[in-house]
Amino acid sequence: MTTFGIGEAAELLGVSADTVRRWVDGGRLPAARDEHGRRRVPGPELAAFVRDQARGGIGEHGERFSSARNRMRGIVTEVIRDGVMAQVEIQAGPFRIVSLMSREAADDLGLAAGVVAEAVVKSTNVVVELPDAG
């Protein structure tokens, strides 16, 4: 079974190692000590934790009516508008997300640098890569 050190889990979650330690110490995220005394988070437990955190914005009665499940909350860092279109950049943890939309939509949403927004991705084609093991 794959396990992750505190620093690795923090990097994957986009939070500090101290935050992961607090979650472990508080019982929110399970971890066990390895033979060297370092805390390791089991991969399946980390995946379940991330899944539960991501679903936190959805009410128990499914207030969001959408088939999209890939939601990333972040801060708008830039909006470039022209006559018809707008390019919106969102920084969600370590991820930079760029969306192209109509200017009308960006204006209606009040998108501007500093606004908290949620990027919602719905795609039938997603490329998945593994980091270089070397």
Side-chain angles (χ1 to χ4, degrees), residues 7-84:
E8 293 171 309
E11 185 177 339
L12 290 169
L13 296 170
V15 298
S16 71
D18 286 338
T19 297
V20 174
R21 283 187 199 95
R22 282 192 298 276
W23 289 340
V24 169
D25 292 343
R28 291 182 60 198
L29 183 61
R33 298 217 180 247
D34 66 11
E35 64 275 6
H36 303 289
R38 294 179 298 222
R39 289 184 277 195
R40 306 286 299 174
V41 179
E45 300 290 343
L46 184 60
F49 180 81
V50 171
R51 185 178 55 246
D52 291 344
Q53 293 299 307
R55 291 182 179 161
I58 300 174
E60 65 182 78
H61 300 293
E63 287 89 338
R64 285 197 179 142
F65 298 103
S66 174
S67 63
R69 296 291 180 255
N70 302 306
R71 297 175 178 276
M72 292 153 279
R73 185 177 167 92
I75 187 165
V76 176
T77 56
E78 184 175 24
V79 180
I80 301 170
R81 291 174 167 87
D82 69 12
V84 177

Side-chain angles (χ1 to χ4, degrees), residues 64 70-79 88-93 95 97 99 101 105-106 109-121:
R64 285 197 179 142
N70 302 306
R71 297 175 178 276
M72 292 153 279
R73 185 177 167 92
I75 187 165
V76 176
T77 56
E78 184 175 24
V79 180
V88 179
E89 276 191 33
I90 298 173
Q91 191 69 36
F95 305 105
I97 301 159
S99 175
M101 64 181 68
L109 291 170
L111 295 177
V115 170
V116 174
E118 206 169 75
V120 181
V121 179

